[in-house]
Amino acid sequence: MNAQASAAPLIAMEGLGKVYEGASGDVRALAGVGLAIRAGEFVSVVGPSGCGKSTLLRLLAGLEPCEEGRLTLADRPVTGLSADVGVVFQAANLLPWMTVAENVALPLRVGTARRGGDPARIAALLQMAGLGEFAARYPYELSGGMQQRAGICRALARDPAILLMDEPFGALDALTRERMNVELQRIWQQSGKTVLLITHSIAEAIFLADRVVVMSARPGRVLADLPVAIPRPRSFDTIVSHPAYAALAREVRGLLNAEGALE
Amino acid sequence: MNAMPEISPALSAPPAPRRRKAKAVNGSLIAAIGVVVLLAAWDVSVRYLHTPSYILPSPAAVVHALASGLLVSPASPLGYYIPLWSTLRNAALGFMAGAGLGLVLGSLMAESRVVEKLVMPYAFALQSLPKVAIAPLVVIWFGFGDGSKIAIAALLAFFPVLINSFTGLRATEPERIDLMRALSASRFETYRIVKLPSAAPFIFAGLDMAVVYALLGTIVAEFLGAQQGMGVVITQAESVTDVAGVFAALIILGVVGIVLHALVRRIERRVIHWSRRKI
């Protein structure tokens, strides 16, 4: 567990639910989700497709209104968008008409953070992500992995306490994905952010997280909240031979299997 | 001139990224062969079928008419330059007014359901009216001077830009809008930074149509009465059954249309530099 993790939860959810109104009736995405995340923790959320993982993240980001249950960030109810939250989207979602540096600096140009820009910080972020030489390039000149690293830099631009990641590496090939996981672990350890990662990959979830939260099929509930007792820094070479890894992977797989996710 | 084409500017999809050089060379070769074949067929049909020149003039007669309009001093009242300048100026002013209004109203419609419901029916009603029928009214309102030419050009340029900018802005990827919302960007910031560039390929497709329509609108207005312009050149040639002169003027207008289209495409490629490669 990260040294910066403290006792009081930074993110707290209680009885959190969400219903979407659809053309052919209402769809319940989440039902009674309870979860507490401490500052500095890295939590992965895995679950079957359509289990409401992304809805959970959208509620946390303030992109969807919280109408059912309680959701607090640092003891304050989430009522809307917060500058203390950075979101990393599925696929990098960079704007193709802006250079990498402009994309990463975008959060400092808009909204409440307007004119709060610190060019040195952007350069440092790009440097940290190994994109220093690509600052003036356009997104189409970058590989998928580099684009997503830029997406992470953008989410960190306002120096938020919380980083929400919605299947950020789903579009990448397996090898790039492993490299990105190692990079993300490094970035997380350097920055001390609280991270909530939504993923489909059991390996990725365990590799990165302090805790793996397994969700049920729709409507999404928390099925299990499993601590990952594997020392850091982790590497893919050593983690697979760690006895806790195999046991944990089997448990998560079993839970998902029971939900019909792995048929 | 007869009916002006009431083409409803179907929404044109954003143009695909340009192909490599080899293909372009091939394309212009095919175009050149097409022109040669067309001219040869034309010449043969006039020469051997003895078509009277008041129905179809020979290519040589048309070239002669073209030369007499082009190979003169730009200040000569007999040349094409003075009427062409007048037509182009009015078309350009009408284009700017029509396209500008189309972009502004299209944007307001895309941003607000209320404005959409309010404006959309009128926009389609206006587009359904045959412009030749309302052109005389416009002349009554704006007079025989430049005003009526600019107004009709604007009327024609308006619709494609309105519909294309509306559709393009609405088609902005929801992920990009989520990004701006997550950054608590203002509505105008989202419009300016994300929606407008996202819609640019659509807007340019509309501008591409609008620029040619503005030219068309100006000529139509000139037919109804004008002191100056290519429409006047055509009506004057028609009044003395100078069919070769009519053909020559139409060729000039065709070339101008191609040049205007190419100009828009060139600006588009400069502005939408990122779409050359798919992201």
Side-chain angles (χ1 to χ4, degrees):
Chain A
M1 197 157 300
N2 200 18
Q4 280 140 322
S6 62
L10 179 64
I11 306 171
M13 298 166 226
E14 264 172 58
L16 195 63
K18 182 74 190 173
V19 174
Y20 284 107
E21 287 169 25
S24 51
D26 292 353
V27 178
R28 173 160 282 280
L30 293 175
V33 172
L35 191 64
I37 300 171
R38 288 183 300 277
E41 241 185 333
F42 196 124
V43 174
S44 297
V45 176
V46 288
S49 287
C51 75
K53 305 187 293 282
S54 292
T55 302
L56 187 69
L57 184 135
R58 293 179 65 84
L59 283 165
L60 275 170
L63 288 169
E64 302 278 351
C66 170
E67 289 148 345
E68 197 186 312
R70 237 169 59 86
L71 172 58
T72 56
L73 289 187
D75 282 332
R76 279 204 305 274
V78 175
T79 49
L81 303 149
S82 162
D84 231 16
V85 174
V87 183
V88 180
F89 294 86
Q90 286 180 23
N93 199 13
L94 300 174
L95 301 176
W97 47 87
M98 291 183 181
T99 64
V100 171
E102 285 167 345
N103 266 291
V104 172
L106 179 68
L108 303 180
R109 267 179 63 199
V110 301
T112 45
R114 205 174 20 241
R115 291 184 300 274
D118 177 6
R121 173 167 175 75
I122 300 306
L125 275 172
L126 288 172
Q127 211 54 251
M128 177 192 71
L131 292 170
E133 291 165 46
F134 296 90
R137 298 292 187 91
Y138 284 90
Y140 66 78
E141 299 176 284
L142 269 57
S143 69
M146 289 161 84
Q147 288 185 18
Q148 195 48 284
R149 268 186 278 169
I152 295 171
C153 286
R154 180 176 60 191
L156 291 171
R158 283 181 183 172
D159 200 16
I162 300 165
L163 200 55
L164 303 175
M165 309 181 87
D166 189 4
E167 292 177 36
F169 310 128
L172 304 179
D173 64 84
L175 287 175
T176 311
R177 191 170 185 154
E178 282 194 4
R179 263 204 13 240
M180 292 298 295
N181 287 341
V182 175
E183 293 265 337
L184 179 57
Q185 175 179 243
R186 185 175 60 77
I187 291 171
W188 171 70
Q189 286 190 312
Q190 278 178 16
S191 64
K193 304 289 178 202
T194 307
V195 182
L196 184 82
L197 171 81
I198 307 279
T199 178
H200 269 127
S201 158
I202 297 172
E204 179 173 281
I206 297 174
F207 177 79
L208 283 165
D210 294 322
R211 279 156 61 204
V212 176
V213 172
V214 185
M215 284 180 71
S216 68
R218 196 166 59 213
R221 292 168 291 114
V222 174
L223 280 181
D225 188 340
L226 310 163
V228 183
I230 301 172
R232 295 188 192 267
R234 300 167 187 165
S235 83
F236 276 98
D237 296 330
T238 56
I239 196 169
V240 285
S241 53
H242 196 284
Y245 177 85
L248 198 56
R250 202 175 317 115
E251 188 171 2
V252 173
R253 193 170 287 276
L255 285 164
L256 291 175
N257 225 344
E259 288 295 311
L262 301 173
E263 273 163 9
Chain B
M1 157 300 169
N2 297 317
M4 48 185 296
E6 282 300 331
I7 318 154
S8 137
L11 183 77
S12 42
R18 212 157 58 117
R19 284 259 148 218
R20 293 283 87 191
K21 263 251 155 59
K23 282 251 166 110
V25 170
N26 227 341
S28 48
L29 186 69
I30 291 167
I33 291 171
V35 169
V36 170
V37 169
L38 183 75
L39 283 175
W42 178 8
D43 194 55
V44 166
S45 64
V46 170
R47 227 178 262 269
Y48 296 102
L49 303 177
H50 306 291
T51 317
S53 68
Y54 57 83
I55 292 178
L56 185 64
S58 71
V62 173
V63 168
H64 185 260
L66 269 175
S68 66
L70 289 173
L71 304 176
V72 292
S73 141
S76 158
L78 297 172
Y80 290 136
Y81 299 105
I82 291 173
L84 191 58
W85 167 244
S86 164
T87 299
L88 282 178
R89 191 191 57 222
N90 288 340
L93 289 172
F95 169 76
M96 284 190 275
L101 194 66
L103 181 59
V104 169
L105 262 182
S107 302
L108 291 173
M109 272 164 53
E111 287 294 315
S112 153
R113 301 268 166 196
V114 175
V115 178
E116 181 196 348
K117 293 270 182 289
L118 212 63
V119 174
M120 197 62 117
Y122 293 104
F124 273 92
L126 183 69
Q127 185 60 13
S128 311
L129 300 177
K131 302 297 178 302
V132 242
I134 46 173
L137 283 175
V138 176
V139 173
I140 291 170
W141 294 333
F142 291 89
F144 282 100
D146 290 336
S148 59
K149 321 293 176 285
I150 295 167
I152 293 176
L155 196 63
L156 280 171
F158 167 69
F159 195 73
V161 180
L162 175 86
I163 294 300
N164 272 37
S165 50
F166 168 72
T167 311
L169 289 165
R170 278 280 169 90
T172 307
E173 288 86 337
E175 295 79 19
R176 290 181 183 165
I177 294 174
D178 273 351
L179 165 70
M180 294 304 276
R181 284 190 54 214
L183 295 174
S184 57
S186 73
R187 205 162 169 172
F188 185 66
E189 282 171 338
T190 304
Y191 173 80
R192 186 174 54 83
I193 297 174
V194 165
K195 289 187 180 177
L196 205 54
S198 290
F202 287 85
I203 295 171
F204 269 100
L207 292 176
D208 200 2
M209 281 188 280
V211 75
V212 176
Y213 282 9
L215 182 65
L216 204 66
T218 310
I219 303 286
V220 168
E222 285 169 359
F223 281 137
L224 296 171
Q227 286 92 41
Q228 199 66 271
M230 289 306 284
V232 176
V233 171
I234 294 171
T235 30
Q236 279 173 354
E238 275 175 341
S239 67
V240 294
T241 357
D242 175 12
V243 182
V246 175
F247 268 61
L250 290 177
I251 287 170
I252 294 289
L253 288 177
V255 170
V256 168
I258 292 172
V259 169
L260 290 177
H261 160 74
L263 197 68
V264 173
R265 287 304 304 274
R266 174 168 285 231
I267 296 170
E268 177 183 357
R269 275 203 295 277
R270 182 82 34 106
V271 173
I272 313 178
H273 56 88
W274 64 89
S275 80
R276 267 172 284 175
R277 205 79 74 74
K278 200 86 182 101
I279 170 166

